[in-house]
């Protein structure tokens, strides 16, 4: 509370640009934050070397999840837990399909997968996940042109493959993710 009061007084008593005010507030926060908290999350050279050694232990290499693309695996070494992978591109380039192919591959390998979908609802994500393994064209699914046989095929696939995939399509912010 004392720090908030000091910030208020700083703003009130020192009119200036927004940048000046922000710099003054940051300075106040730095003054109030103990030095060891300012270093939280940083690593020394020795700690980095130790983490590198653990990461490159042959046991960790076996935990790699391969993508459907050998060239991508060659470039990034495959997928590893604890890392954030972002798939980007222009509209219609297949970003969602590529990301979901990687996600389902990881799930088939027994890994738990969490997908945040900012652009499409769960039903559309699920359609992309079941299209390829059921040999049903995604366009046909999207146009709601499934025969009774195809709907039954999707239901059989869904029941027989309880993949460890969770999808969150709520309006959660990127910072919250």
């Amino acid at each position: 509370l004392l720090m908030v009061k000091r910030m208020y007084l700083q703003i009130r008593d020192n009119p200036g640009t927004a940048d000046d005010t922000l710099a003054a507030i940051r300075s106040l926060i730095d003054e109030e934050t103990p030095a060891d908290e300012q270093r939280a999350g940083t690593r020394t050279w020795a700690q980095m070397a130790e983490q590198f050694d653990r990461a490159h232990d042959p046991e960790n290499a076996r935990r790699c999840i391969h993508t459907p693309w050998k060239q991508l695996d060659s470039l990034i070494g495959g997928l590893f837990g604890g890392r954030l992978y972002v798939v980007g591109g222009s509209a219609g380039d297949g970003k969602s399909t590529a990301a979901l192919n990687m996600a389902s591959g990881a799930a088939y390998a027994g890994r738990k997968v969490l997908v945040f979908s900012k652009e499409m609802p769960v039903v559309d994500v699920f359609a992309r996940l079941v299209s390829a393994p059921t040999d049903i064209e995604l366009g046909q699914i999207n146009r709601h042109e499934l025969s009774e046989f195809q709907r039954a095929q999707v239901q059989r696939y869904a029941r027989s493959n309880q993949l460890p995939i969770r999808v969150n399509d709520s309006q959660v912010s990127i910072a919250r993710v």
Side-chain angles (χ1 to χ4, degrees), residues 89-173:
S90 299
D93 280 350
K95 300 175 297 294
S96 298
T97 301
L100 291 171
N101 282 340
M102 288 187 274
S104 61
Y108 277 116
R111 300 308 195 336
K112 293 178 183 177
V113 176
L114 174 59
V115 174
F116 285 93
S117 177
K118 297 286 290 174
E119 65 181 28
M120 69 180 77
V122 168
V123 70
D124 291 343
V125 172
F126 187 77
R128 282 167 173 73
L129 289 169
V130 300
S131 174
T134 60
D135 291 323
I136 301 173
E137 288 184 32
L138 182 59
Q140 192 176 0
I141 294 172
N142 289 340
R143 291 187 304 272
H144 300 273
E145 295 175 350
L146 296 180
S147 67
E148 286 301 315
F149 174 79
Q150 289 171 319
R151 285 188 64 212
Q153 188 178 1
V154 169
Q155 291 168 354
R156 274 192 308 278
Y157 175 79
R159 280 193 306 274
S160 66
N161 292 287
Q162 294 294 316
L163 296 176
I165 296 178
R166 296 178 64 105
V167 176
N168 182 324
D169 69 346
S170 65
Q171 294 303 310
V172 63
S173 69

Side-chain angles (χ1 to χ4, degrees), residues 23-46:
I25 290 172
R26 282 187 179 146
S27 177
L28 286 172
I29 291 171
D30 288 345
E31 287 173 20
E32 295 293 324
T33 306
D36 56 334
E37 282 186 34
Q38 290 180 22
R39 291 190 302 264
T42 64
R43 303 290 186 270
T44 66
W45 184 263

Side-chain angles (χ1 to χ4, degrees), residues 67-111:
T67 71
W69 307 283
K70 289 183 181 188
Q71 286 181 315
L72 180 61
D73 281 349
S74 176
L75 182 65
I76 66 172
L79 305 174
F80 290 89
R83 293 182 181 172
L84 172 67
Y85 296 92
V86 177
V87 179
S90 299
D93 280 350
K95 300 175 297 294
S96 298
T97 301
L100 291 171
N101 282 340
M102 288 187 274
S104 61
Y108 277 116
R111 300 308 195 336

Side-chain angles (χ1 to χ4, degrees), residues 48-83:
M48 289 187 292
E50 184 180 323
Q51 282 186 329
F52 181 88
D53 189 49
R54 278 195 313 266
H56 290 273
D57 183 291
E59 184 64 31
N60 283 334
R62 287 191 275 280
R63 287 189 255 179
C64 168
I65 302 166
H66 295 286
T67 71
W69 307 283
K70 289 183 181 188
Q71 286 181 315
L72 180 61
D73 281 349
S74 176
L75 182 65
I76 66 172
L79 305 174
F80 290 89
R83 293 182 181 172

